[in-house]
Amino acid sequence: MAAGAARSGVSQALGAPALAMGATFLAFGAAVAEAGLSLPWALLCTGAVYGMAGQLVLLQLAAGGGAALPATIAATAANARFLPMAVAIAPLLGRGGRRWLVLPFIAITPWAAGMRVLPSLPEPARLPWFLGFALASWCAAMAATAAGHLAAPNLPAELRAALLFANPLYFALLLAADAARPGVAPALVAGVLAAPLAYGVGGAWGLPLAGLLGGTLAFLWTRRR
């Protein structure tokens, strides 16, 4: 069962999710090349950070000659949203002691797919399915980063900017499709209301603060209802 579940996760990842992620990481690879940073730097950033908000913060600081420690702290803050995502998906991965294996691969696309698919799977198949999906997604991100870095001279700045929004748009469509599920609609509305905070604060802290505010609003709204 485990091998079949893992293969199913891989096959489901290498469709629309891989295309959406690939477009975004393609643009990131090209942005790294335009900033004058090397392909190994781009691959290390994607492989280790694996979160576009944190990667863009790190790129901005690295391209500007920022120090390593502040850049690392800023990237970590930008990806702080992955902590509540990991807490939310952990109960769906079964009771096995190997759930820690998924931690490096918690990102928007695998998390959204897991929240949709895992409840319908038998418990023994859940962790293998998620690892298959997440590893395939990570490999797609790495390949797209390399391709973007190599193809940077042929990618106009306007196209790169548009490609960066492909994966967030895909995630938004997944959430919209699940709007009828309990708690999803309040989270969507609260996220929209909190979005101006992310824009106003900016930098590494805008997104976590907006997420904290939006999540708190959604939680209080759901409890009151």
Side-chain angles (χ1 to χ4, degrees):
M1 177 183 290
R7 286 194 296 269
S8 176
V10 170
S11 65
Q12 291 185 48
L14 298 179
L19 290 176
M21 287 188 65
T24 300
F25 284 91
L26 185 78
F28 175 75
V32 172
E34 186 181 32
L37 299 171
S38 67
L39 176 58
W41 190 96
L43 293 175
L44 179 61
C45 186
T46 291
V49 180
Y50 196 42
M52 191 51 61
Q55 289 177 227
L56 291 175
V57 169
L58 194 59
L59 173 60
Q60 183 180 19
L61 292 172
L69 181 58
T72 302
I73 294 174
T76 302
N79 279 354
R81 67 192 186 280
F82 293 150
L83 176 58
M85 291 166 63
V87 172
I89 202 170
L92 301 179
L93 294 171
R95 300 181 179 87
R98 295 182 299 163
R99 289 185 296 178
W100 60 269
L101 292 171
V102 310
L103 292 177
F105 306 109
I106 295 293
I108 286 179
T109 301
W111 180 85
M115 295 297 289
R116 287 170 57 88
V117 174
L118 292 177
S120 65
L121 296 178
E123 185 171 310
R126 293 180 180 181
L127 182 60
W129 183 94
F130 187 84
L131 286 174
F133 189 102
L135 280 168
S137 300
W138 185 83
C139 290
M142 294 288 284
T145 299
H149 195 280
L150 297 174
N154 301 315
L155 293 176
E158 294 81 5
L159 177 60
R160 294 200 304 270
L163 289 175
L164 281 173
F165 288 95
N167 202 43
L169 177 60
Y170 174 75
F171 179 64
L173 292 175
L174 287 180
L175 289 178
D178 285 346
R181 291 173 53 193
V184 175
L188 288 173
V189 175
V192 171
L193 294 176
L197 178 62
Y199 179 80
V201 174
W205 297 102
L207 191 59
L209 287 175
L212 178 62
L213 176 61
T216 302
L217 288 175
F219 174 75
L220 295 175
W221 182 1
T222 302
R223 285 201 63 179
R224 184 172 182 180
R225 293 182 62 185

PDB file of all heavy atoms in Angstrom, residues 31-32 34-37 41 56-68 71:
ATOM      1  N   ALA A  31      15.346  35.631 -11.901  1.00  0.00           N
ATOM      2  CA  ALA A  31      15.637  36.803 -11.070  1.00  0.00           C
ATOM      3  C   ALA A  31      16.997  36.676 -10.397  1.00  0.00           C
ATOM      4  O   ALA A  31      17.729  37.666 -10.253  1.00  0.00           O
ATOM      5  CB  ALA A  31      14.538  36.974 -10.022  1.00  0.00           C
ATOM      6  N   VAL A  32      17.359  35.463  -9.993  1.00  0.00           N
ATOM      7  CA  VAL A  32      18.679  35.242  -9.395  1.00  0.00           C
ATOM      8  C   VAL A  32      19.773  35.533 -10.407  1.00  0.00           C
ATOM      9  O   VAL A  32      20.787  36.183 -10.096  1.00  0.00           O
ATOM     10  CB  VAL A  32      18.791  33.801  -8.871  1.00  0.00           C
ATOM     11  CG1 VAL A  32      20.220  33.492  -8.435  1.00  0.00           C
ATOM     12  CG2 VAL A  32      17.839  33.587  -7.697  1.00  0.00           C
ATOM     13  N   GLU A  34      19.573  37.496 -13.018  1.00  0.00           N
ATOM     14  CA  GLU A  34      19.605  38.936 -13.286  1.00  0.00           C
ATOM     15  C   GLU A  34      20.323  39.683 -12.161  1.00  0.00           C
ATOM     16  O   GLU A  34      20.978  40.707 -12.411  1.00  0.00           O
ATOM     17  CB  GLU A  34      18.185  39.465 -13.441  1.00  0.00           C
ATOM     18  CG  GLU A  34      18.134  40.925 -13.859  1.00  0.00           C
ATOM     19  CD  GLU A  34      16.710  41.434 -13.977  1.00  0.00           C
ATOM     20  OE1 GLU A  34      15.840  40.967 -13.219  1.00  0.00           O
ATOM     21  OE2 GLU A  34      16.463  42.294 -14.835  1.00  0.00           O
ATOM     22  N   ALA A  35      20.218  39.174 -10.942  1.00  0.00           N
ATOM     23  CA  ALA A  35      20.895  39.817  -9.812  1.00  0.00           C
ATOM     24  C   ALA A  35      22.395  39.534  -9.792  1.00  0.00           C
ATOM     25  O   ALA A  35      23.109  40.064  -8.934  1.00  0.00           O
ATOM     26  CB  ALA A  35      20.263  39.354  -8.504  1.00  0.00           C
ATOM     27  N   GLY A  36      22.866  38.699 -10.706  1.00  0.00           N
ATOM     28  CA  GLY A  36      24.290  38.401 -10.778  1.00  0.00           C
ATOM     29  C   GLY A  36      24.750  37.297  -9.856  1.00  0.00           C
ATOM     30  O   GLY A  36      25.948  37.114  -9.644  1.00  0.00           O
ATOM     31  N   LEU A  37      23.805  36.534  -9.306  1.00  0.00           N
ATOM     32  CA  LEU A  37      24.144  35.427  -8.417  1.00  0.00           C
ATOM     33  C   LEU A  37      24.185  34.122  -9.210  1.00  0.00           C
ATOM     34  O   LEU A  37      23.541  33.987 -10.245  1.00  0.00           O
ATOM     35  CB  LEU A  37      23.139  35.332  -7.277  1.00  0.00           C
ATOM     36  CG  LEU A  37      23.084  36.584  -6.379  1.00  0.00           C
ATOM     37  CD1 LEU A  37      21.920  36.498  -5.410  1.00  0.00           C
ATOM     38  CD2 LEU A  37      24.396  36.752  -5.619  1.00  0.00           C
ATOM     39  N   TRP A  41      23.875  29.081  -6.095  1.00  0.00           N
ATOM     40  CA  TRP A  41      23.193  29.889  -5.086  1.00  0.00           C
ATOM     41  C   TRP A  41      21.671  29.749  -5.252  1.00  0.00           C
ATOM     42  O   TRP A  41      20.940  29.580  -4.251  1.00  0.00           O
ATOM     43  CB  TRP A  41      23.585  31.355  -5.212  1.00  0.00           C
ATOM     44  CG  TRP A  41      23.122  32.214  -4.072  1.00  0.00           C
ATOM     45  CD1 TRP A  41      23.825  32.578  -2.971  1.00  0.00           C
ATOM     46  CD2 TRP A  41      21.809  32.808  -3.922  1.00  0.00           C
ATOM     47  NE1 TRP A  41      23.053  33.339  -2.141  1.00  0.00           N
ATOM     48  CE2 TRP A  41      21.812  33.512  -2.690  1.00  0.00           C
ATOM     49  CE3 TRP A  41      20.655  32.816  -4.694  1.00  0.00           C
ATOM     50  CZ2 TRP A  41      20.703  34.207  -2.227  1.00  0.00           C
ATOM     51  CZ3 TRP A  41      19.523  33.500  -4.218  1.00  0.00           C
ATOM     52  CH2 TRP A  41      19.569  34.194  -3.006  1.00  0.00           C
ATOM     53  N   LEU A  56      12.519  35.285  -1.937  1.00  0.00           N
ATOM     54  CA  LEU A  56      12.609  36.629  -2.518  1.00  0.00           C
ATOM     55  C   LEU A  56      13.239  37.608  -1.530  1.00  0.00           C
ATOM     56  O   LEU A  56      14.007  38.493  -1.931  1.00  0.00           O
ATOM     57  CB  LEU A  56      11.217  37.109  -2.936  1.00  0.00           C
ATOM     58  CG  LEU A  56      10.599  36.367  -4.122  1.00  0.00           C
ATOM     59  CD1 LEU A  56       9.178  36.844  -4.383  1.00  0.00           C
ATOM     60  CD2 LEU A  56      11.450  36.549  -5.383  1.00  0.00           C
ATOM     61  N   VAL A  57      12.913  37.461  -0.246  1.00  0.00           N
ATOM     62  CA  VAL A  57      13.551  38.310   0.761  1.00  0.00           C
ATOM     63  C   VAL A  57      15.047  38.054   0.784  1.00  0.00           C
ATOM     64  O   VAL A  57      15.873  38.986   0.821  1.00  0.00           O
ATOM     65  CB  VAL A  57      12.925  38.064   2.148  1.00  0.00           C
ATOM     66  CG1 VAL A  57      13.752  38.733   3.241  1.00  0.00           C
ATOM     67  CG2 VAL A  57      11.496  38.584   2.186  1.00  0.00           C
ATOM     68  N   LEU A  58      15.438  36.780   0.767  1.00  0.00           N
ATOM     69  CA  LEU A  58      16.853  36.416   0.782  1.00  0.00           C
ATOM     70  C   LEU A  58      17.565  36.926  -0.469  1.00  0.00           C
ATOM     71  O   LEU A  58      18.692  37.433  -0.397  1.00  0.00           O
ATOM     72  CB  LEU A  58      16.990  34.902   0.885  1.00  0.00           C
ATOM     73  CG  LEU A  58      18.375  34.349   1.234  1.00  0.00           C
ATOM     74  CD1 LEU A  58      18.847  34.886   2.574  1.00  0.00           C
ATOM     75  CD2 LEU A  58      18.340  32.827   1.253  1.00  0.00           C
ATOM     76  N   LEU A  59      16.907  36.820  -1.607  1.00  0.00           N
ATOM     77  CA  LEU A  59      17.496  37.316  -2.852  1.00  0.00           C
ATOM     78  C   LEU A  59      17.702  38.826  -2.803  1.00  0.00           C
ATOM     79  O   LEU A  59      18.751  39.336  -3.201  1.00  0.00           O
ATOM     80  CB  LEU A  59      16.589  36.944  -4.034  1.00  0.00           C
ATOM     81  CG  LEU A  59      16.965  37.537  -5.391  1.00  0.00           C
ATOM     82  CD1 LEU A  59      18.357  37.102  -5.820  1.00  0.00           C
ATOM     83  CD2 LEU A  59      15.934  37.148  -6.448  1.00  0.00           C
ATOM     84  N   GLN A  60      16.702  39.528  -2.300  1.00  0.00           N
ATOM     85  CA  GLN A  60      16.810  40.982  -2.223  1.00  0.00           C
ATOM     86  C   GLN A  60      17.980  41.405  -1.347  1.00  0.00           C
ATOM     87  O   GLN A  60      18.760  42.297  -1.710  1.00  0.00           O
ATOM     88  CB  GLN A  60      15.506  41.567  -1.679  1.00  0.00           C
ATOM     89  CG  GLN A  60      15.486  43.082  -1.623  1.00  0.00           C
ATOM     90  CD  GLN A  60      14.175  43.614  -1.067  1.00  0.00           C
ATOM     91  OE1 GLN A  60      13.433  42.892  -0.410  1.00  0.00           O
ATOM     92  NE2 GLN A  60      13.892  44.873  -1.312  1.00  0.00           N
ATOM     93  N   LEU A  61      18.139  40.741  -0.215  1.00  0.00           N
ATOM     94  CA  LEU A  61      19.230  41.097   0.687  1.00  0.00           C
ATOM     95  C   LEU A  61      20.581  40.668   0.129  1.00  0.00           C
ATOM     96  O   LEU A  61      21.570  41.389   0.251  1.00  0.00           O
ATOM     97  CB  LEU A  61      18.998  40.451   2.052  1.00  0.00           C
ATOM     98  CG  LEU A  61      17.798  41.000   2.839  1.00  0.00           C
ATOM     99  CD1 LEU A  61      17.546  40.168   4.081  1.00  0.00           C
ATOM    100  CD2 LEU A  61      18.029  42.465   3.228  1.00  0.00           C
ATOM    101  N   ALA A  62      20.638  39.483  -0.495  1.00  0.00           N
ATOM    102  CA  ALA A  62      21.901  39.005  -1.053  1.00  0.00           C
ATOM    103  C   ALA A  62      22.346  39.868  -2.225  1.00  0.00           C
ATOM    104  O   ALA A  62      23.534  40.193  -2.372  1.00  0.00           O
ATOM    105  CB  ALA A  62      21.758  37.552  -1.493  1.00  0.00           C
ATOM    106  N   ALA A  63      21.399  40.277  -3.062  1.00  0.00           N
ATOM    107  CA  ALA A  63      21.753  41.114  -4.205  1.00  0.00           C
ATOM    108  C   ALA A  63      22.216  42.491  -3.766  1.00  0.00           C
ATOM    109  O   ALA A  63      23.023  43.134  -4.439  1.00  0.00           O
ATOM    110  CB  ALA A  63      20.547  41.240  -5.136  1.00  0.00           C
ATOM    111  N   GLY A  64      21.723  42.941  -2.618  1.00  0.00           N
ATOM    112  CA  GLY A  64      22.126  44.245  -2.104  1.00  0.00           C
ATOM    113  C   GLY A  64      23.363  44.205  -1.236  1.00  0.00           C
ATOM    114  O   GLY A  64      23.740  45.221  -0.652  1.00  0.00           O
ATOM    115  N   GLY A  65      23.975  43.028  -1.109  1.00  0.00           N
ATOM    116  CA  GLY A  65      25.187  42.910  -0.310  1.00  0.00           C
ATOM    117  C   GLY A  65      24.937  42.852   1.171  1.00  0.00           C
ATOM    118  O   GLY A  65      25.810  43.195   1.973  1.00  0.00           O
ATOM    119  N   GLY A  66      23.750  42.389   1.596  1.00  0.00           N
ATOM    120  CA  GLY A  66      23.438  42.322   3.017  1.00  0.00           C
ATOM    121  C   GLY A  66      24.213  41.223   3.722  1.00  0.00           C
ATOM    122  O   GLY A  66      24.704  40.278   3.104  1.00  0.00           O
ATOM    123  N   ALA A  67      24.319  41.336   5.046  1.00  0.00           N
ATOM    124  CA  ALA A  67      25.030  40.349   5.847  1.00  0.00           C
ATOM    125  C   ALA A  67      24.233  39.051   5.906  1.00  0.00           C
ATOM    126  O   ALA A  67      23.007  39.043   5.779  1.00  0.00           O
ATOM    127  CB  ALA A  67      25.273  40.887   7.250  1.00  0.00           C
ATOM    128  N   ALA A  68      24.929  37.936   6.142  1.00  0.00           N
ATOM    129  CA  ALA A  68      24.300  36.623   6.095  1.00  0.00           C
ATOM    130  C   ALA A  68      23.291  36.426   7.220  1.00  0.00           C
ATOM    131  O   ALA A  68      22.183  35.907   6.992  1.00  0.00           O
ATOM    132  CB  ALA A  68      25.370  35.535   6.157  1.00  0.00           C
ATOM    133  N   ALA A  71      20.007  38.362   6.769  1.00  0.00           N
ATOM    134  CA  ALA A  71      19.289  37.785   5.634  1.00  0.00           C
ATOM    135  C   ALA A  71      18.611  36.484   6.029  1.00  0.00           C
ATOM    136  O   ALA A  71      17.455  36.225   5.654  1.00  0.00           O
ATOM    137  CB  ALA A  71      20.258  37.550   4.477  1.00  0.00           C
TER     138      ALA A  71
END
